Amino acid sequence: MTFSSLPAKIQSLLFLTFLIIYLVTLMGNSLIILVTLADPMLHSPMYFFLRNLSFLEIGFNLVIVPKMLGTLLAWDTTISFLGCATQMYFFFFFGVAECFLLATMAYDRYVAICNPLHYPVIMNQRTRAKLAVASWFPGFPVATVQTTWLFSFPFCGTNKVNHFFCDSPPVLKLVCADTALFEIYAIVGTILVVMIPCLLILCSYTHITAAILKIPSAKGKHKAFSTCSSHLLVVSLFYVSLSLTYFRPKSNNSPESKKLLSLSYTVVTPMLNPIIYSLRNNEVKNALSRTFRKALGLRNCIP
C-alpha cells in the first residue's frame, strides 16, 4: 500500500494533517460517547443512536488511519495477507453498519416528529436495542462473504495495492483468475447496501417534511427542522462521497481520484460528525458545558 507517487515533503505534510484529523476524530467521538452517557438529559433514543454512530466512527478510523499514517512516513509500506484481509473485513463491516445506522437514525427522527405523543412508548429501551442490533448485524454477512470470497482467489504479480487501505477494487486487480461472478456480486451487493438504507432515509424524511409543513407556527417548524438538520448533513456527506467513489464511470475513476474521494468518507467525515452534532445542537452544547463545569468542580475539590 503506498502514496509513493507523491513527493516526500507532501507525504510528510499529509502525515501531520491526517494525524491531527485522526486525533480530533478520536477525541470528538469519544467526547460524544462520554457526554451522552454521563448527562441524564441526553439519555433519549436520539443520543443513544448518536453514541452508536460515534463508536462506529472510532472503529472505522482505527481500522484504516494508523496503517495509513505509517505508510505516509514509509515506516512500513507493506501489509501481510492476513492483515489486508482483516482490514478489508472490518472496513466492510463498519461501512455497511454506518449505512443502516444512518437509516435507523432517520426512522428515530420520523417517530419523534410524526408521532411525538407515542415516541417514548415506541422508542423504548427494548426497541432501541433491537434497532441498534439490526443496524450493526448486516455488516457481518456482507463483510464475511465479500472478504472470504475475494481472498480465496489466487494472487500473482507484484501484489502491490495501489491504495492507502485494502479496499476491494484495488485488491481485485491483483487476482489471477476469472472474477466476473464476484464483480457482479460486489456491484449488486454495494447497490443494495447503499440504496436500501438510502430509500429508507428518503421515505422517513418525506413523511417528516410533510409533518413539518403542517406545523402552524414558524417557531415550531424551525424547532422540528433543527432536530433533523445535523443528521441530514451527516447523511449527505457520507452518501455523496460514497456514491462518487463507487458509482462513478470507470473512465472518470483514476486510482488517485479514488484515493482522494475515499479519504473523504474514511477520514474526514468521521471527524466532522461530532463537530456537526456539537455545533448544531444546543442540547449537546449545554451537556458539554455541564460536563466540563462538573469536571472542573470535582478537580477543585481534590486537595
Side-chain angles (χ1 to χ4, degrees), residues 98-300:
E98 182 157 357
C99 287
F100 283 93
L101 185 59
L102 290 173
T104 299
M105 294 172 77
Y107 173 72
D108 172 69
R109 292 299 83 208
Y110 158 75
V111 176
I113 293 172
C114 298
N115 297 283
L117 297 178
H118 298 95
Y119 180 63
V121 177
I122 296 173
M123 298 300 290
N124 55 55
Q125 288 187 351
R126 188 170 183 176
T127 303
R128 290 181 229 170
K130 288 181 178 179
L131 287 171
V133 171
S135 300
W136 285 85
F137 178 76
F140 286 109
V142 172
T144 300
V145 172
Q146 186 135 334
T147 306
T148 304
W149 191 353
L150 178 52
F151 280 86
S152 67
F153 287 119
F155 292 88
C156 60
T158 60
N159 286 343
K160 183 178 180 181
V161 180
N162 188 19
H163 208 20
F164 62 88
F165 71 97
C166 286
D167 196 2
S168 179
V171 173
L172 192 62
K173 291 180 180 179
L174 308 179
V175 172
C176 303
D178 182 10
T179 60
L181 186 60
F182 174 83
E183 291 183 58
I184 293 171
Y185 159 79
I187 292 170
V188 172
T190 302
I191 291 173
L192 290 175
V193 164
V194 173
M195 291 306 298
I196 290 175
C198 191
L199 289 173
L200 291 173
I201 292 169
L202 287 174
C203 183
S204 295
Y205 275 106
T206 299
H207 287 88
I208 288 170
T209 303
I212 291 176
L213 291 175
K214 292 178 183 178
I215 299 174
S217 67
K219 185 178 180 180
K221 289 180 180 178
H222 176 75
K223 183 177 179 181
F225 180 74
S226 65
T227 64
C228 303
S229 58
S230 297
H231 179 254
L232 272 173
L233 187 53
V234 168
V235 167
S236 300
L237 287 170
F238 180 77
Y239 274 100
V240 167
S241 58
L242 197 67
S243 299
L244 287 174
T245 302
Y246 291 101
F247 298 117
R248 292 173 72 199
K250 286 188 176 181
S251 58
N252 299 329
N253 202 7
S254 68
E256 298 307 317
S257 66
K258 186 168 183 180
K259 287 179 191 178
L260 187 62
L261 288 168
S262 297
L263 284 171
S264 62
Y265 69 87
T266 58
V267 180
V268 179
T269 301
M271 177 195 69
L272 292 177
N273 287 353
I275 296 174
I276 291 169
Y277 275 102
S278 298
L279 295 181
R280 299 181 63 87
N281 190 308
N282 288 327
E283 288 183 343
V284 174
K285 286 190 284 188
N286 292 335
L288 285 168
S289 178
R290 287 193 297 269
T291 301
F292 281 128
R293 286 201 304 269
K294 185 177 179 181
L296 290 173
L298 290 172
R299 185 177 295 177
N300 291 335

Side-chain angles (χ1 to χ4, degrees), residues 37-113:
L37 282 172
D39 197 303
M41 299 295 290
L42 301 184
H43 286 180
S44 66
M46 174 181 173
Y47 297 107
F48 169 78
F49 294 121
L50 177 57
R51 189 160 58 245
N52 272 262
L53 180 63
S54 292
F55 182 79
L56 189 153
E57 299 290 26
I58 289 173
F60 207 54
N61 255 234
L62 288 173
V63 168
I64 294 171
V65 181
K67 182 61 181 176
M68 183 187 72
L69 292 174
T71 301
L72 278 168
L73 279 191
W75 291 334
D76 185 5
T77 58
T78 63
I79 187 169
S80 67
F81 185 86
L82 180 59
C84 188
T86 302
Q87 187 182 59
M88 184 182 290
Y89 179 90
F90 284 104
F91 166 71
F92 284 135
F93 169 71
F94 286 120
V96 172
E98 182 157 357
C99 287
F100 283 93
L101 185 59
L102 290 173
T104 299
M105 294 172 77
Y107 173 72
D108 172 69
R109 292 299 83 208
Y110 158 75
V111 176
I113 293 172

